[in-house]
Structure formats: C-alpha cells, structure tokens
Amino acid sequence: MLEVKNVTKQYKDMKALENIHLQIDKGIYALLGPNGAGKSTLMNIICNQLEMTSGEVFWNNQPINKIKNQFYSVLGYAPQQQGLYEEMSGLRFLTYMALLKDIPKKQVIKEVQRVAKLVNMENELSRKCKTYSGGMKQRMLVAQALLGKPQLLLFDEPTAGLDPKERVSLRHVFEKLSKDHILFIATHVVSDIESIANEVIFLKKGKIVSQGSVDELVKQYQVSSLEDVYLKLFEDDKNVLSDIL
C-alpha cells in the first residue's frame, strides 16, 4: 500500500501542494485536475525525484526516503514526456531500460518480450522509435515502466497528444494491468479514466477537493456523469471545457 501523508510542497510564495493525504491500494486510482493543479508535482514526490516541504510518503508503512532501493524495485513510472531514444529500435530501447533496472542479462530478452506483449507492441520492436505513432510511443513508455514486474505503476498524463483510437487502446492496456498492479494515473482528460478507475481524486490548486468512486461522486454532486462533476468542481477554470474533451 502507498500512503501519502500530509504532503506539502512550497515554492517561494506559492504552494504547489497543500496537506495531501492519500491511501492507494489495489486497482486504478485517477488523479484528475486541470493543468497546473499539482498532479506532476505529486507524481515526482511519490517517485522520490522531488523533495517535499513537509509530510511523508510510505510504502507498506515504511518511509520511501529510508527504503529507496527497495521502493524503486516495486515502482514503475511513465513520465508525461515521450522521452524515447529516437534512433534506437523498440527492442534496443527496452533492452537498455532493462539493463538500467539491473535485470539479469540472461532474463532481459524474455522480460522485454513479456512487457512488449502486455502493451501489444511485440510485433513492432524491430522498428526505430522515431517511426512510432504517438500512441505507440506511449505504449513503449508503459512497457518500460513494467520491466521488472513492479507492483506500483505511476502514469503522468499518459494520453497527452493521442487521438481517440490510441486513447482507447491505452485504456484497454490499463484495464489489463489493473488485475496485477496498483495504477496511479494523473490526467486532465475525464474520458480516459471514467470507465476504468476504482477511485477518482480531484486536485485543484494543490488541494484535494473531492474523491471517491465514479458512482459515489456522481451521486454526491447529483449529476449524470463524471464530466459533470469535473465541470462543477472546476467551473471557474478557463480551460475546463478543453480539458474534458
């Protein structure tokens, strides 16, 4: 279980996060909010890549800053940017990432083939990464996050820039992964997670303003869909209409 306890991140006169408290267990958890809400800041703190101003993050009741290597071994992370090595083939990219994760050399090829199959890229590994579509690149980022069979998977804006067909494809991948992993997905696109999330956490200006299952939230706000909940919570945000599309 992952626990984020009273986490605050202060930048000079601005609080990017304020007293965030979360408990994340099995299933798909969606962190939903407009751009600038603090989603990426929280992801980077959980990955131990950004120092928090106050608070703690625990994995199985142990502070992650005290069990760094143990925590990294159970963590898989796909960042928002599509940071692939364009001249590498998919096979070489995943092999390189597997070696960085200290996967034994004898197991690398088998592990690369396993994760490529999970994201439906097993027949595309011979191609250079620069020839992949946006959706294929995102699936490769998901694949590298799966190397080593981590228990906790973090995805930051995984469908950014993808067309509707590619979004649906990636959503099916997440559904399949949720059977054996904890998924924490940060996004501002409601349709990406409405049908698959076990719990939705709404983040606004660095604060959690609401959370629960889709059904619970729809009932609480007396609306017909999660998009309507989003509109109610962020009606003062100028970009809210573009965010939900």
Side-chain angles (χ1 to χ4, degrees), residues 21-127:
H21 186 82
L22 292 171
Q23 287 188 338
I24 298 172
D25 210 337
K26 220 172 193 180
I28 297 178
Y29 292 77
L31 184 64
L32 197 59
N35 291 324
K39 302 187 300 295
S40 293
T41 299
L42 181 56
M43 284 286 188
N44 283 317
I45 286 174
I46 293 173
C47 290
N48 213 25
Q49 300 301 305
L50 182 65
E51 190 173 339
M52 64 196 92
T53 304
S54 62
E56 287 188 282
V57 178
F58 298 88
W59 174 254
N60 289 339
N61 299 315
Q62 299 182 76
I64 64 169
N65 60 351
K66 293 183 179 179
I67 57 163
K68 288 183 180 180
N69 291 337
Q70 181 184 342
F71 180 63
Y72 293 150
S73 70
V74 302
L75 174 67
Y77 177 50
Q80 181 176 352
Q81 294 82 10
Q82 294 184 350
L84 303 182
Y85 295 95
E86 297 287 280
E87 293 300 323
M88 284 187 178
S89 67
L91 177 61
R92 188 178 177 191
F93 170 72
L94 290 178
T95 299
Y96 175 66
M97 297 303 294
L99 292 172
L100 287 180
K101 292 187 176 186
D102 292 325
I103 293 172
K105 289 183 178 180
K106 292 182 179 179
Q107 299 175 20
V108 166
I109 294 300
K110 185 177 180 180
E111 181 65 2
V112 165
Q113 292 172 341
R114 182 186 73 83
V115 299
K117 186 174 182 179
L118 282 173
V119 299
N120 304 316
M121 287 290 288
E122 67 270 30
N123 297 322
E124 310 294 340
L125 293 180
S126 62
R127 292 173 52 181

Side-chain angles (χ1 to χ4, degrees), residues 134-199:
M136 293 167 77
K137 288 180 178 180
Q138 286 299 117
R139 280 186 275 154
M140 287 296 286
L141 284 176
V142 172
Q144 64 79 27
L146 294 171
L147 289 164
K149 299 181 180 179
Q151 296 169 256
L152 174 64
L153 298 172
L154 305 184
F155 301 115
D156 190 3
E157 299 286 359
T159 64
L162 303 190
D163 65 34
K165 184 178 179 181
E166 290 172 328
R167 283 178 174 173
V168 171
S169 176
L170 199 56
R171 191 157 63 236
H172 290 327
V173 171
F174 291 152
E175 283 185 290
K176 184 163 57 174
L177 293 175
S178 68
K179 297 174 183 177
D180 303 305
H181 302 81
I182 301 170
L183 277 71
F184 193 35
I185 304 171
T187 184
H188 64 269
V189 184
V190 177
S191 58
D192 284 346
I193 53 83
E194 184 167 17
S195 64
I196 62 173
N198 299 98
E199 184 167 335

